[in-house]
Amino acid sequence: MNSDTNNSVNEIPLIEEFQKKIDRDEKIEPKDFMPEAYRKTLIRQIGQHAHSEVVGMLPEGNWITRAPTLKRKLSLLAKVQDEAGHGLYLYCAAETLGKSRLEMTEELLSGKAKYSSIFNYPTPTWADIGAIGWLVDGAAIMNQIPLCRCSYGPYARAMIRICKEESFHQRQGYEIMLTLARGTKDQREMAQRALNRWWWPSVMMFGPSDKDSPNTETSVKWKIKRHTNDELREKFIDAIVPQAKKIGLTIPDKDLKWDKKRNNGLGGYAHGKIDWEEFWKVVKGNGPMNNERISSKKKAWDEGLWVRNAARMHASKNQSTVVAAE
């Protein structure tokens, strides 16, 4: 029996205790034993989440100077700043698993690491900023609130603050859409067109259907995730449809209908067919803005090299001073 087999056999009691700990809803901390597959799954998910927060700044950032009022500019600036902070919290959480922020960024720029497909769509009008806040941040909240109970402690704790801020962003986006929907005919039409553009990408944002998702079952077992992709998608649709009706906008799904049998007889909305070919096309790098998003991120990374070098030099000098003093 080789050493690899010995190691796996010796780990069996540890793996069993690990699962029991998760089943008891106890948190796994960085220095605790964890199976390598659990660690890799977390690194992939947290890294993708962090990348999504950072890349997600780009479609909104270019509207800061073009927002219609000073109040709107300040609100959007604060939101983009929040997203940067979310990325930093998440990179820090991933670093507790042994993956450096430098490695994660290099994987993002090379295309090895992914970020949410939703951020590869353009924002041609101010209404798109409202739709992102209402729909994209709304979908994010639906996905992220259960992550506050994730089995991995650093990730769960980071999500508590992130969810509070995302909830504010969602209300901010809904208020923009509400204002436009109550405005002139042109403003209402602009809001409806933005909803039409962002509805299906937001529905797809939860990931592939459960039958096509290779990671969902294990992630639920380990309580990294608490719900499957389809469960979260259905909860999102059930929440958004009444909001759209309230402000007089139409969900662009001709097959959307109320199904009284869903949710154990409580009812819910049944949606139309999702274009998964569109989803996978964007995931594979062929979306409307894939190249521009990565190019913008790479440009910022390259231009920030001198700052990183200066920070490292400063930290090195400080460390030398501490050692000399000792």
Side-chain angles (χ1 to χ4, degrees):
M1 187 177 291
N2 62 40
S3 59
D4 289 342
T5 306
N6 274 324
N7 288 337
S8 62
V9 169
N10 292 336
E11 282 186 353
I12 289 176
L14 294 173
I15 292 173
E16 290 176 348
E17 181 54 36
F18 165 83
Q19 187 62 52
K20 288 178 182 177
K21 190 174 182 178
I22 286 177
D23 293 341
R24 293 194 298 265
D25 272 332
E26 296 177 15
K27 294 289 185 247
I28 305 299
E29 299 297 342
K31 293 184 179 180
D32 293 345
F33 169 81
M34 64 185 75
E36 185 63 15
Y38 177 83
R39 187 182 74 85
K40 288 182 177 179
T41 297
L42 279 168
I43 289 174
R44 177 190 57 79
Q45 180 170 325
I46 299 173
Q48 180 176 316
H49 192 166
H51 297 327
S52 299
E53 296 285 356
V54 172
V55 176
M57 298 161 61
L58 297 173
E60 295 175 304
N62 64 17
W63 270 96
I64 291 173
T65 59
R66 297 183 290 155
T69 67
L70 178 59
K71 177 185 175 182
R72 296 294 192 194
K73 286 178 171 65
L74 291 172
S75 297
L76 186 56
L77 180 62
K79 180 185 178 185
V80 171
Q81 186 176 18
D82 285 347
E83 307 295 0
H86 298 172
L88 293 177
Y89 304 152
L90 293 165
Y91 283 131
C92 288
E95 285 180 319
T96 66
L97 293 157
K99 187 88 166 184
S100 74
R101 193 176 313 178
L102 176 61
E103 289 178 283
M104 287 184 279
T105 302
E106 288 174 344
E107 289 180 355
L108 170 66
L109 297 178
S110 70
K112 181 179 179 181
K114 302 298 183 183
Y115 57 90
S116 179
S117 61
I118 195 77
F119 299 117
N120 289 310
Y121 291 89
T123 51
T125 70
W126 171 246
D128 290 85
I129 302 304
I132 288 176
W134 176 31
L135 300 176
V136 176
D137 292 329
I141 292 164
M142 197 65 68
N143 187 51
Q144 292 172 7
I145 286 177
L147 290 175
C148 295
R149 297 185 292 125
C150 170
S151 61
Y152 188 60
Y155 193 19
R157 290 188 287 272
M159 291 312 305
I160 293 172
R161 176 167 178 173
I162 290 174
C163 285
K164 289 179 180 178
E165 293 177 349
E166 292 288 6
S167 295
F168 182 81
H169 299 165
Q170 197 268 348
R171 290 194 292 272
Q172 178 182 326
Y174 185 70
E175 191 271 335
I176 291 172
M177 295 295 276
L178 174 63
T179 300
L180 293 171
R182 291 178 175 176
T184 65
K185 179 175 180 292
D186 287 344
Q187 288 173 325
R188 289 194 299 274
E189 290 176 352
M190 181 171 67
Q192 182 62 57
R193 287 194 297 270
L195 172 56
N196 294 347
R197 281 191 289 273
W198 289 93
W199 174 252
W200 288 111
S202 297
V203 169
M204 290 186 278
M205 188 176 162
F206 295 94
S209 61
D210 294 344
K211 64 182 177 63
D212 297 320
S213 178
N215 303 306
T216 293
E217 184 178 353
T218 303
S219 292
V220 170
K221 175 185 175 183
W222 285 333
K223 296 188 179 180
I224 295 173
K225 296 176 65 172
R226 296 282 179 152
H227 303 282
T228 69
N229 295 348
D230 287 337
E231 287 171 350
L232 291 169
R233 194 179 349 264
E234 290 170 359
K235 286 167 66 72
F236 169 73
I237 293 172
D238 288 347
I240 293 296
V241 172
Q243 294 175 8
K245 288 181 178 180
K246 185 175 179 63
I247 60 177
L249 297 179
T250 303
I251 299 295
D253 180 357
K254 60 182 177 59
D255 295 319
L256 185 73
K257 60 183 179 180
W258 182 258
D259 181 356
K260 63 182 180 181
K261 296 180 181 179
R262 275 194 49 220
N263 296 325
N264 296 318
L266 296 176
Y269 287 96
H271 60 79
K273 186 177 179 181
I274 297 172
D275 185 358
W276 290 116
E277 287 187 11
E278 163 76 8
F279 172 78
W280 290 114
K281 180 182 77 172
V282 178
V283 168
K284 292 176 181 178
N286 298 311
M289 303 295 288
N290 283 71
N291 292 336
E292 183 172 328
R293 297 290 182 246
I294 291 298
S295 295
S296 297
K297 185 69 181 79
K298 188 176 188 307
K299 181 174 183 290
W301 181 252
D302 292 342
E303 290 179 352
L305 177 61
W306 71 273
V307 178
R308 297 193 299 277
N309 287 340
R312 279 192 289 267
M313 186 177 295
H314 179 71
S316 178
K317 285 182 179 179
N318 284 347
Q319 183 63 30
S320 299
T321 301
V322 171
V323 171
E326 292 176 346

Coordinates of all heavy atoms in Angstrom, one line a residue, residues 182-256:
R182 N -42.2 55.9 -12.8 CA -43.2 56.9 -12.5 C -42.9 58.2 -13.2 O -43.6 59.2 -13.0 CB -43.2 57.1 -10.9 CG -43.8 56.0 -10.1 CD -43.7 56.3 -8.7 NE -44.4 55.2 -7.9 CZ -44.4 55.2 -6.5 NH1 -43.8 56.1 -5.8 NH2 -45.0 54.2 -5.9
G183 N -41.9 58.2 -14.1 CA -41.5 59.4 -14.8 C -42.3 59.6 -16.1 O -43.4 59.2 -16.3
T184 N -41.6 60.1 -17.1 CA -42.1 60.4 -18.4 C -42.3 59.1 -19.2 O -41.8 58.0 -18.7 CB -41.2 61.3 -19.2 OG1 -40.0 60.7 -19.4 CG2 -41.0 62.6 -18.4
K185 N -43.0 59.1 -20.3 CA -43.1 58.0 -21.1 C -41.8 57.4 -21.5 O -41.5 56.2 -21.5 CB -43.9 58.3 -22.4 CG -44.2 57.2 -23.3 CD -45.1 57.6 -24.5 CE -45.3 56.5 -25.5 NZ -44.1 56.1 -26.2
D186 N -40.8 58.3 -21.9 CA -39.5 57.9 -22.3 C -38.8 57.2 -21.2 O -38.0 56.2 -21.4 CB -38.7 59.1 -22.8 CG -39.2 59.5 -24.2 OD1 -39.9 58.8 -24.9 OD2 -38.8 60.7 -24.6
Q187 N -38.9 57.7 -20.0 CA -38.3 57.1 -18.8 C -38.8 55.8 -18.5 O -38.1 54.8 -18.2 CB -38.4 58.1 -17.6 CG -37.5 59.3 -17.7 CD -37.8 60.3 -16.6 OE1 -38.9 60.4 -16.1 NE2 -36.7 61.0 -16.2
R188 N -40.1 55.6 -18.6 CA -40.7 54.3 -18.3 C -40.3 53.3 -19.4 O -40.0 52.1 -19.0 CB -42.3 54.4 -18.4 CG -42.9 55.1 -17.2 CD -44.4 54.9 -17.1 NE -45.1 55.4 -18.3 CZ -45.5 56.6 -18.4 NH1 -45.3 57.5 -17.5 NH2 -46.2 57.0 -19.5
E189 N -40.2 53.7 -20.6 CA -39.7 52.8 -21.7 C -38.3 52.4 -21.5 O -37.9 51.3 -21.7 CB -39.9 53.4 -23.0 CG -41.4 53.5 -23.4 CD -41.6 54.2 -24.8 OE1 -40.6 54.8 -25.3 OE2 -42.8 54.2 -25.3
M190 N -37.5 53.4 -21.0 CA -36.1 53.1 -20.7 C -35.9 52.1 -19.6 O -35.1 51.1 -19.7 CB -35.3 54.4 -20.4 CG -33.8 54.2 -20.1 SD -32.9 55.8 -19.9 CE -33.6 56.4 -18.4
A191 N -36.7 52.2 -18.6 CA -36.7 51.3 -17.5 C -37.1 49.9 -17.9 O -36.5 48.9 -17.6 CB -37.6 51.7 -16.3
Q192 N -38.2 49.8 -18.8 CA -38.6 48.5 -19.3 C -37.6 47.8 -20.1 O -37.4 46.6 -20.0 CB -39.9 48.7 -20.1 CG -40.5 47.4 -20.6 CD -40.9 46.4 -19.5 OE1 -41.7 46.8 -18.6 NE2 -40.4 45.2 -19.5
R193 N -36.9 48.6 -21.0 CA -35.9 48.0 -21.8 C -34.7 47.5 -21.0 O -34.1 46.5 -21.3 CB -35.4 49.1 -22.8 CG -36.3 49.4 -24.0 CD -35.7 50.2 -25.1 NE -35.2 51.5 -24.6 CZ -35.9 52.6 -24.7 NH1 -37.1 52.6 -25.1 NH2 -35.4 53.7 -24.3
A194 N -34.4 48.2 -19.9 CA -33.3 47.7 -19.0 C -33.7 46.4 -18.4 O -32.9 45.5 -18.2 CB -33.0 48.8 -18.0
L195 N -35.0 46.4 -17.9 CA -35.5 45.1 -17.3 C -35.4 44.0 -18.3 O -35.0 42.9 -18.0 CB -36.9 45.3 -16.8 CG -37.7 44.1 -16.4 CD1 -36.9 43.4 -15.2 CD2 -39.1 44.5 -15.9
N196 N -35.8 44.3 -19.6 CA -35.7 43.3 -20.6 C -34.3 42.7 -20.8 O -34.1 41.5 -21.0 CB -36.3 43.8 -21.9 CG -37.7 44.2 -21.9 OD1 -38.4 43.8 -21.0 ND2 -38.2 44.9 -22.9
R197 N -33.3 43.7 -20.7 CA -32.0 43.3 -21.0 C -31.4 42.4 -19.8 O -30.6 41.5 -20.0 CB -31.1 44.5 -21.1 CG -31.1 45.1 -22.5 CD -30.0 46.2 -22.7 NE -30.2 47.4 -21.9 CZ -31.0 48.4 -22.3 NH1 -31.5 48.4 -23.5 NH2 -31.1 49.5 -21.5
W198 N -31.8 42.7 -18.6 CA -31.1 42.1 -17.4 C -31.9 41.0 -16.8 O -31.4 40.3 -15.9 CB -30.9 43.2 -16.4 CG -29.8 44.1 -16.8 CD1 -29.9 45.3 -17.5 CD2 -28.4 43.9 -16.7 NE1 -28.7 45.9 -17.8 CE2 -27.7 45.1 -17.3 CE3 -27.6 42.9 -16.1 CZ2 -26.3 45.2 -17.3 CZ3 -26.2 43.1 -16.1 CH2 -25.6 44.2 -16.7
W199 N -33.2 40.8 -17.2 CA -33.9 39.7 -16.5 C -33.3 38.3 -16.7 O -33.0 37.7 -15.7 CB -35.4 39.7 -17.1 CG -36.2 38.6 -16.5 CD1 -36.6 37.4 -17.2 CD2 -36.6 38.4 -15.2 NE1 -37.3 36.6 -16.4 CE2 -37.3 37.2 -15.1 CE3 -36.5 39.2 -14.0 CZ2 -37.9 36.7 -13.9 CZ3 -37.1 38.7 -12.9 CH2 -37.8 37.5 -12.8
W200 N -33.1 37.9 -17.9 CA -32.6 36.5 -18.1 C -31.2 36.3 -17.6 O -30.9 35.3 -17.0 CB -32.8 36.1 -19.6 CG -34.3 35.9 -19.9 CD1 -35.0 36.6 -20.7 CD2 -35.1 34.8 -19.4 NE1 -36.3 36.1 -20.8 CE2 -36.4 34.9 -20.0 CE3 -34.9 33.7 -18.6 CZ2 -37.4 34.1 -19.7 CZ3 -35.9 32.8 -18.3 CH2 -37.2 33.0 -18.9
P201 N -30.3 37.3 -17.9 CA -29.0 37.1 -17.3 C -29.0 37.0 -15.7 O -28.2 36.3 -15.1 CB -28.2 38.4 -17.7 CG -28.9 38.8 -19.0 CD -30.3 38.4 -18.8
S202 N -30.0 37.7 -15.1 CA -30.1 37.7 -13.6 C -30.6 36.3 -13.2 O -30.2 35.7 -12.2 CB -31.0 38.8 -13.1 OG -30.5 40.0 -13.4
V203 N -31.6 35.8 -14.0 CA -32.1 34.4 -13.7 C -31.0 33.4 -13.8 O -31.0 32.4 -13.1 CB -33.3 34.1 -14.6 CG1 -33.8 32.7 -14.5 CG2 -34.5 35.0 -14.2
M204 N -30.2 33.6 -14.9 CA -29.1 32.6 -15.1 C -27.9 32.8 -14.1 O -27.1 31.9 -14.0 CB -28.6 32.8 -16.5 CG -29.5 32.3 -17.6 SD -28.8 32.3 -19.2 CE -29.0 34.0 -19.7
M205 N -27.9 33.9 -13.4 CA -26.8 34.2 -12.5 C -26.7 33.1 -11.4 O -25.6 33.0 -10.8 CB -27.1 35.6 -11.8 CG -26.0 36.1 -11.0 SD -26.5 37.8 -10.5 CE -25.3 38.1 -9.1
F206 N -27.7 32.4 -11.1 CA -27.6 31.4 -10.0 C -26.8 30.1 -10.4 O -26.6 29.2 -9.6 CB -29.0 31.0 -9.5 CG -29.7 32.1 -8.9 CD1 -30.6 32.9 -9.6 CD2 -29.5 32.4 -7.5 CE1 -31.2 34.0 -9.0 CE2 -30.2 33.5 -6.9 CZ -31.0 34.3 -7.7
G207 N -26.5 30.1 -11.7 CA -25.7 29.0 -12.2 C -26.6 27.9 -12.9 O -27.8 28.1 -13.0
P208 N -26.0 26.9 -13.5 CA -26.7 25.9 -14.2 C -27.8 25.2 -13.4 O -27.7 25.2 -12.2 CB -25.6 24.9 -14.7 CG -24.5 25.1 -13.8 CD -24.5 26.6 -13.4
S209 N -28.7 24.6 -14.1 CA -29.8 23.8 -13.4 C -29.1 22.7 -12.5 O -28.0 22.3 -12.8 CB -30.8 23.3 -14.4 OG -30.1 22.4 -15.2
D210 N -29.8 22.3 -11.5 CA -29.2 21.3 -10.6 C -28.8 20.1 -11.3 O -27.7 19.5 -10.9 CB -30.3 21.0 -9.5 CG -30.6 22.1 -8.6 OD1 -29.8 23.1 -8.6 OD2 -31.6 22.1 -7.9
K211 N -29.5 19.6 -12.3 CA -29.1 18.4 -13.0 C -27.8 18.5 -13.8 O -27.1 17.5 -14.1 CB -30.2 17.9 -13.9 CG -30.5 18.8 -15.0 CD -31.7 18.3 -15.9 CE -32.0 19.2 -17.0 NZ -30.9 19.5 -18.0
D212 N -27.4 19.8 -14.1 CA -26.2 20.1 -14.8 C -25.1 20.7 -14.0 O -24.0 21.1 -14.5 CB -26.5 21.0 -16.0 CG -27.5 20.4 -17.0 OD1 -27.3 19.1 -17.3 OD2 -28.3 21.1 -17.5
S213 N -25.3 20.8 -12.7 CA -24.3 21.4 -11.8 C -23.5 20.4 -11.1 O -24.0 19.6 -10.3 CB -25.0 22.3 -10.8 OG -24.0 22.9 -9.9
P214 N -22.2 20.3 -11.4 CA -21.4 19.2 -10.8 C -21.0 19.4 -9.4 O -20.6 18.4 -8.7 CB -20.1 19.2 -11.7 CG -20.0 20.6 -12.2 CD -21.4 21.1 -12.4
N215 N -21.1 20.6 -8.9 CA -20.6 20.9 -7.5 C -21.7 21.1 -6.5 O -21.4 21.1 -5.3 CB -19.8 22.2 -7.6 CG -18.6 22.1 -8.5 OD1 -17.8 21.2 -8.5 ND2 -18.6 23.1 -9.5
T216 N -23.0 21.3 -6.9 CA -24.0 21.6 -6.0 C -24.3 20.6 -4.9 O -24.3 20.9 -3.7 CB -25.4 21.9 -6.7 OG1 -25.2 23.0 -7.6 CG2 -26.5 22.1 -5.8
E217 N -24.3 19.3 -5.3 CA -24.7 18.3 -4.3 C -23.6 18.2 -3.1 O -24.0 18.2 -2.0 CB -24.8 16.9 -5.0 CG -25.2 15.8 -4.0 CD -25.3 14.4 -4.7 OE1 -25.2 14.4 -6.0 OE2 -25.5 13.4 -4.0
T218 N -22.4 18.2 -3.5 CA -21.3 18.2 -2.5 C -21.3 19.5 -1.7 O -21.1 19.4 -0.4 CB -19.9 18.0 -3.2 OG1 -20.0 16.8 -4.0 CG2 -18.8 17.8 -2.1
S219 N -21.5 20.6 -2.3 CA -21.5 21.9 -1.6 C -22.6 21.9 -0.5 O -22.4 22.5 0.6 CB -21.6 23.1 -2.5 OG -20.4 23.2 -3.3
V220 N -23.8 21.4 -0.9 CA -24.9 21.3 0.1 C -24.6 20.4 1.2 O -24.9 20.7 2.4 CB -26.2 21.0 -0.7 CG1 -27.3 20.7 0.3 CG2 -26.6 22.1 -1.6
K221 N -24.0 19.2 0.9 CA -23.6 18.3 1.9 C -22.7 18.9 2.9 O -22.8 18.6 4.1 CB -23.0 17.0 1.2 CG -22.5 16.0 2.2 CD -21.7 14.9 1.5 CE -21.1 13.9 2.5 NZ -20.3 12.8 1.8
W222 N -21.7 19.6 2.4 CA -20.7 20.3 3.3 C -21.2 21.6 3.9 O -20.5 22.3 4.6 CB -19.4 20.5 2.5 CG -18.6 19.3 2.3 CD1 -18.6 18.2 3.0 CD2 -17.7 19.1 1.2 NE1 -17.7 17.3 2.5 CE2 -17.1 17.8 1.4 CE3 -17.3 19.9 0.1 CZ2 -16.1 17.3 0.5 CZ3 -16.3 19.4 -0.8 CH2 -15.8 18.1 -0.6
K223 N -22.4 22.0 3.5 CA -23.1 23.2 4.0 C -22.2 24.5 3.7 O -22.3 25.5 4.4 CB -23.3 23.2 5.5 CG -24.3 22.1 5.9 CD -24.8 22.1 7.4 CE -25.8 21.0 7.7 NZ -26.2 21.1 9.1
I224 N -21.5 24.4 2.6 CA -21.0 25.6 2.0 C -22.1 26.4 1.4 O -22.2 27.6 1.6 CB -19.9 25.2 0.9 CG1 -18.7 24.5 1.5 CG2 -19.5 26.5 0.1 CD1 -17.7 23.9 0.5
K225 N -23.0 25.6 0.7 CA -24.3 26.2 0.2 C -25.4 25.6 1.0 O -25.3 24.4 1.5 CB -24.5 25.9 -1.3 CG -23.4 26.6 -2.2 CD -23.6 26.1 -3.6 CE -25.0 26.6 -4.2 NZ -25.1 26.4 -5.6
R226 N -26.5 26.3 1.2 CA -27.6 25.8 1.9 C -28.8 25.4 1.0 O -29.7 24.8 1.4 CB -28.1 26.8 3.0 CG -27.0 27.1 4.1 CD -27.0 26.0 5.1 NE -26.0 26.2 6.1 CZ -26.1 25.7 7.4 NH1 -27.1 25.0 7.7 NH2 -25.1 25.9 8.2
H227 N -28.7 25.9 -0.2 CA -29.8 25.7 -1.2 C -29.2 25.4 -2.5 O -28.1 25.8 -2.9 CB -30.7 26.9 -1.3 CG -31.3 27.3 0.0 ND1 -32.4 26.7 0.6 CD2 -31.0 28.3 0.8 CE1 -32.7 27.3 1.7 NE2 -31.9 28.3 1.9
T228 N -29.9 24.7 -3.4 CA -29.4 24.4 -4.7 C -29.7 25.6 -5.6 O -30.4 26.5 -5.3 CB -30.2 23.2 -5.3 OG1 -31.6 23.6 -5.6 CG2 -30.1 22.0 -4.4
N229 N -29.1 25.6 -6.8 CA -29.2 26.7 -7.8 C -30.7 26.9 -8.1 O -31.1 28.1 -8.2 CB -28.4 26.4 -9.0 CG -26.9 26.3 -8.8 OD1 -26.4 26.7 -7.7 ND2 -26.2 25.8 -9.8
D230 N -31.4 25.8 -8.4 CA -32.8 26.0 -8.8 C -33.7 26.5 -7.7 O -34.6 27.3 -7.9 CB -33.3 24.7 -9.4 CG -32.7 24.3 -10.7 OD1 -32.3 25.2 -11.5 OD2 -32.7 23.1 -11.1
E231 N -33.4 26.1 -6.5 CA -34.2 26.6 -5.3 C -34.0 28.1 -5.2 O -35.0 28.8 -5.0 CB -33.7 25.8 -4.1 CG -34.2 24.4 -4.0 CD -33.5 23.6 -2.8 OE1 -32.6 24.2 -2.2 OE2 -34.0 22.5 -2.5
L232 N -32.8 28.5 -5.3 CA -32.5 30.0 -5.2 C -33.1 30.8 -6.3 O -33.7 31.8 -6.1 CB -31.0 30.2 -5.1 CG -30.3 29.7 -3.8 CD1 -28.8 29.8 -4.0 CD2 -30.7 30.5 -2.6
R233 N -33.0 30.2 -7.5 CA -33.6 30.9 -8.7 C -35.1 31.1 -8.5 O -35.6 32.1 -8.8 CB -33.3 30.0 -9.9 CG -33.5 30.7 -11.2 CD -33.2 29.9 -12.5 NE -32.5 28.7 -12.3 CZ -31.2 28.6 -12.4 NH1 -30.4 29.6 -12.7 NH2 -30.6 27.4 -12.2
E234 N -35.8 30.0 -8.0 CA -37.2 30.1 -7.8 C -37.6 31.1 -6.8 O -38.6 31.9 -6.9 CB -37.8 28.7 -7.5 CG -37.7 27.8 -8.7 CD -38.1 26.3 -8.3 OE1 -38.3 26.1 -7.1 OE2 -38.1 25.5 -9.2
K235 N -36.8 31.2 -5.7 CA -37.1 32.2 -4.6 C -36.9 33.6 -5.2 O -37.6 34.5 -4.8 CB -36.1 31.9 -3.5 CG -36.4 30.7 -2.6 CD -35.3 30.3 -1.7 CE -35.1 31.4 -0.6 NZ -36.2 31.4 0.4
F236 N -35.9 33.8 -6.0 CA -35.6 35.1 -6.6 C -36.8 35.5 -7.5 O -37.3 36.7 -7.4 CB -34.3 35.0 -7.4 CG -34.1 36.2 -8.3 CD1 -33.7 37.4 -7.8 CD2 -34.2 36.1 -9.7 CE1 -33.4 38.5 -8.6 CE2 -34.0 37.2 -10.5 CZ -33.6 38.4 -9.9
I237 N -37.2 34.7 -8.3 CA -38.4 35.0 -9.2 C -39.6 35.3 -8.4 O -40.3 36.3 -8.7 CB -38.6 33.9 -10.2 CG1 -37.4 33.7 -11.2 CG2 -39.9 34.1 -11.0 CD1 -37.5 32.5 -12.1
D238 N -39.9 34.5 -7.4 CA -41.1 34.7 -6.6 C -41.0 36.1 -5.9 O -42.1 36.7 -5.6 CB -41.2 33.6 -5.5 CG -41.7 32.3 -6.1 OD1 -42.1 32.3 -7.3 OD2 -41.5 31.3 -5.4
A239 N -39.8 36.6 -5.6 CA -39.7 37.9 -4.9 C -39.7 39.0 -5.9 O -40.3 40.1 -5.6 CB -38.3 37.9 -4.2
I240 N -39.2 38.9 -7.1 CA -39.1 40.0 -8.0 C -40.4 40.3 -8.8 O -40.7 41.4 -9.0 CB -37.9 39.7 -9.0 CG1 -36.6 39.7 -8.3 CG2 -37.9 40.8 -10.1 CD1 -36.2 41.1 -7.7
V241 N -41.1 39.2 -9.1 CA -42.3 39.5 -10.0 C -43.3 40.4 -9.3 O -43.8 41.4 -9.9 CB -43.0 38.1 -10.3 CG1 -44.3 38.3 -11.0 CG2 -42.1 37.3 -11.2
P242 N -43.6 40.3 -8.0 CA -44.5 41.2 -7.4 C -44.0 42.7 -7.3 O -44.7 43.6 -7.5 CB -44.7 40.7 -5.9 CG -44.4 39.2 -6.0 CD -43.3 39.2 -7.1
Q243 N -42.7 42.8 -7.2 CA -42.0 44.1 -7.2 C -42.2 44.8 -8.5 O -42.5 46.0 -8.6 CB -40.6 44.0 -6.8 CG -40.3 43.5 -5.4 CD -38.8 43.3 -5.1 OE1 -38.0 43.6 -5.9 NE2 -38.6 42.7 -3.9
A244 N -42.0 44.0 -9.6 CA -42.2 44.5 -11.0 C -43.6 45.0 -11.2 O -43.9 46.1 -11.8 CB -41.8 43.5 -12.0
K245 N -44.6 44.2 -10.7 CA -46.0 44.5 -10.9 C -46.3 45.8 -10.1 O -47.1 46.7 -10.6 CB -46.8 43.4 -10.4 CG -46.8 42.2 -11.3 CD -47.8 41.1 -10.7 CE -47.8 39.9 -11.7 NZ -48.7 38.8 -11.1
K246 N -45.7 46.0 -9.0 CA -46.0 47.1 -8.1 C -45.6 48.5 -8.8 O -46.3 49.5 -8.7 CB -45.2 47.0 -6.8 CG -45.6 48.1 -5.8 CD -44.9 47.9 -4.5 CE -45.2 49.0 -3.5 NZ -46.6 49.0 -3.1
I247 N -44.5 48.4 -9.6 CA -44.0 49.7 -10.2 C -44.5 49.7 -11.7 O -44.1 50.6 -12.4 CB -42.5 49.9 -10.1 CG1 -41.7 48.7 -10.8 CG2 -42.1 50.0 -8.7 CD1 -40.2 48.9 -10.7
G248 N -45.2 48.7 -12.1 CA -45.8 48.8 -13.5 C -44.9 48.4 -14.6 O -45.1 48.7 -15.8
L249 N -43.9 47.5 -14.3 CA -43.1 47.0 -15.3 C -43.4 45.5 -15.6 O -44.0 44.8 -14.7 CB -41.6 47.1 -14.9 CG -41.1 48.5 -14.7 CD1 -39.6 48.5 -14.3 CD2 -41.2 49.4 -16.0
T250 N -43.1 45.1 -16.8 CA -43.5 43.7 -17.2 C -42.3 42.8 -17.3 O -41.3 43.1 -18.0 CB -44.2 43.8 -18.6 OG1 -45.3 44.6 -18.6 CG2 -44.6 42.4 -19.1
I251 N -42.4 41.6 -16.6 CA -41.3 40.7 -16.7 C -41.3 40.1 -18.1 O -42.3 39.6 -18.6 CB -41.5 39.5 -15.7 CG1 -41.5 40.1 -14.3 CG2 -40.4 38.4 -15.9 CD1 -40.2 40.7 -13.8
P252 N -40.1 40.1 -18.8 CA -40.1 39.6 -20.2 C -40.0 38.1 -20.3 O -39.1 37.5 -20.9 CB -38.8 40.3 -20.7 CG -37.9 40.3 -19.5 CD -38.8 40.6 -18.4
D253 N -41.0 37.5 -19.9 CA -41.2 36.0 -19.9 C -42.6 35.7 -20.2 O -43.5 35.7 -19.3 CB -40.7 35.4 -18.6 CG -40.8 33.9 -18.6 OD1 -41.2 33.3 -19.6 OD2 -40.4 33.2 -17.6
K254 N -42.9 35.4 -21.5 CA -44.3 35.1 -21.9 C -44.9 33.8 -21.3 O -46.1 33.7 -21.2 CB -44.4 35.0 -23.4 CG -43.5 33.9 -24.0 CD -43.7 33.9 -25.6 CE -42.8 32.9 -26.2 NZ -43.1 31.5 -25.8
D255 N -44.0 33.0 -20.8 CA -44.4 31.7 -20.2 C -44.5 31.8 -18.6 O -44.8 30.8 -18.0 CB -43.5 30.6 -20.6 CG -43.5 30.3 -22.1 OD1 -44.6 30.3 -22.6 OD2 -42.4 30.1 -22.6
L256 N -44.2 32.9 -18.1 CA -44.3 33.1 -16.6 C -45.8 33.0 -16.2 O -46.7 33.6 -16.7 CB -43.8 34.5 -16.2 CG -43.6 34.8 -14.7 CD1 -42.5 34.0 -14.1 CD2 -43.4 36.3 -14.5

